[in-house]
Amino acid sequence: MTKHEFMEILRSREALFGLPEEDIERSLSFYGELIDDRVDEGMSEEEAVADVGAPGEIAAQILSEIPLKKLVKEKIKSSRRLRAWEIVLLALGSPIWLTLLIAALVILISMYAVLWSLVAVVWSVGAALVGSFLLSIAALVLLCVQGSVGMGLFLLGLGIVCMGLALFLWFGSMAATKGAWWLSKKVPFWIKSLFIGKEKKV
Amino acid sequence: MDIQMKRGLLDVCVLASIREEESYGYQIIKEMKPYVEISESTLYPILRRLEAAELLTVRTAEYNGRLRKYYHITESGVQRIEDFKEEWREILSIYQFVIKDREEKKANDET
């Protein structure tokens, strides 16, 4: 192909991928320069263009080097140019998509609520067990005063068992809290990836 | 070779080729050819990366009635080459050790 054809293909591929204007111009001048250098050395234009590589692959290479943020910004910029009828359609359809969106958000919030209530339950059980232990100490004192030392000691024994269970539960509570925290963090990323993930797969 | 490693190595190669005097795209490729094959599509992102990291600067000048970009190394670029050389002195010494081990083992097996 000729140099002109090469440049046009490269330009159109890069524009297709949503590369910003100045990046396109810069890459075109680079490759144009290298083709010219080869021609200066004696290669024919066809040979020079072939030597430089396939414009499709070059465009893909350039794209893969650009940071994700820049790509997404460009995509958002270019997709914001909504035409009039698209805006009207969006407005007319809002009772539908807006309510669906709100419903989705409410479901998400209730899922969060359920998740964290579960965590709260685990902690509450732990707290109750600790409370039982403390109560058993109080009971011991009271019963000793009344003379039933045996009973008091028995209740203290139960209280100590409760404390032991509470200590075991401590690890469970920490794990549950960490797990819930990790899950809460993962969800926004997952949502983001639904939108951005598609861009990088070029 | 590991892709990431090759990228890092090629970066330093390009810097080395412009260390003594500034150069332009095609000349860099030609200079590196006897040692390592590098294509335009590999060189271009390297030059962009090096420029972004301020390891080289670019200037446009006229040549034969057209424009050509010349790449000039910076202080940081020279430093990067020195760091690379230092890193590889260590790697080479490790390599010597690994090689040495195999030869000694062979000698032991033969006796």
Side-chain angles (χ1 to χ4, degrees):
Chain A
M1 68 176 89
T2 66
K3 178 183 173 193
H4 183 79
E5 286 170 355
F6 175 90
M7 302 288 267
E8 281 314 302
I9 296 178
L10 190 60
R11 180 195 299 276
S12 65
R13 287 295 179 91
E14 293 188 13
L16 190 75
F17 289 142
L19 240 62
E21 193 59 44
E22 58 167 27
D23 282 20
I24 298 181
E25 287 311 313
R26 194 183 290 122
S27 72
L28 284 177
S29 69
F30 178 84
Y31 283 95
E33 184 191 309
L34 270 96
I35 294 175
D36 290 337
D37 281 337
R38 282 178 159 79
V39 170
D40 276 357
E41 295 238 326
M43 277 191 188
S44 75
E45 193 177 294
E46 298 275 337
E47 288 177 331
V49 171
D51 213 36
V52 160
E57 283 174 31
I58 290 171
Q61 242 272 24
I62 293 173
L63 194 80
S64 68
E65 291 278 336
I66 296 201
L68 186 61
K69 252 196 243 166
K70 205 176 187 189
L71 274 175
V72 175
K73 261 197 222 156
E74 285 303 316
K75 273 284 169 175
I76 293 177
K77 252 198 255 163
S78 59
S79 63
R80 236 175 229 166
R81 291 178 218 126
L82 284 173
R83 282 169 279 184
W85 67 265
E86 286 174 335
I87 299 176
V88 171
L89 205 68
L90 217 66
L92 283 177
S94 64
I96 303 173
W97 62 258
L98 195 64
T99 36
L100 282 174
L101 188 68
I102 293 174
L105 275 170
V106 170
I107 292 176
L108 198 68
I109 293 172
S110 37
M111 275 164 58
Y112 266 111
V114 166
L115 183 69
W116 287 102
S117 343
L118 285 171
V119 176
V121 163
V122 182
W123 281 104
S124 314
V125 172
L129 287 169
V130 174
S132 310
F133 171 64
L134 294 171
L135 274 173
S136 72
I137 296 178
L140 174 70
V141 172
L142 262 168
L143 286 170
C144 281
V145 164
Q146 287 181 357
S148 329
V149 180
M151 191 61 175
L153 285 172
F154 175 68
L155 284 177
L156 182 71
L158 286 177
I160 292 175
V161 170
C162 286
M163 192 61 191
L165 285 171
L167 283 171
F168 276 121
L169 207 62
W170 166 260
F171 296 106
S173 315
M174 286 307 283
T177 314
K178 278 189 195 149
W181 185 246
W182 175 86
L183 219 81
S184 316
K185 275 200 182 150
K186 268 269 171 166
V187 172
F189 274 123
W190 176 75
I191 294 176
K192 251 194 242 169
S193 72
L194 283 177
F195 295 102
I196 297 179
K198 289 179 186 164
E199 302 294 351
K200 202 50 171 158
K201 276 188 195 143
V202 180
Chain B
M1 203 195 294
D2 179 43
I3 286 264
Q4 284 292 73
M5 192 178 185
K6 189 152 194 188
R7 272 172 76 173
L9 291 174
L10 289 176
D11 282 3
V12 191
C13 279
V14 171
L15 285 173
S17 79
I18 61 172
R19 182 179 188 163
E20 300 305 313
E21 64 170 351
E22 66 176 13
S23 189
Y24 57 96
Y26 190 45
Q27 191 178 53
I28 294 175
I29 293 181
K30 279 199 295 177
E31 238 190 75
M32 285 172 62
K33 206 177 248 218
Y35 298 87
V36 52
E37 280 284 335
I38 182 171
S39 69
E40 270 77 349
S41 52
T42 313
L43 180 62
Y44 181 63
I46 292 177
L47 289 169
R48 301 279 296 122
R49 223 184 4 251
L50 293 174
E51 188 186 347
E54 293 179 352
L55 296 172
L56 58 74
T57 56
V58 193
R59 71 176 180 97
T60 318
E62 214 193 291
Y63 173 85
N64 257 9
R66 56 183 171 92
L67 292 176
R68 183 187 263 172
K69 293 223 175 88
Y70 287 89
Y71 303 94
H72 188 91
I73 200 169
T74 63
E75 277 286 314
S76 335
V78 175
Q79 186 56 49
R80 177 80 180 82
I81 296 179
E82 292 307 312
D83 291 345
F84 172 85
K85 281 154 80 171
E86 187 56 47
E87 226 177 280
W88 275 80
R89 273 192 272 275
E90 197 180 338
I91 294 177
L92 278 172
S93 123
I94 294 173
Y95 176 79
Q96 294 301 335
F97 174 74
V98 172
I99 286 293
K100 170 177 167 262
D101 193 42
R102 285 176 59 194
E103 284 172 5
E104 268 186 15
K105 261 201 196 162
K106 258 209 238 163
N108 287 338
D109 286 346
E110 276 157 23
T111 52

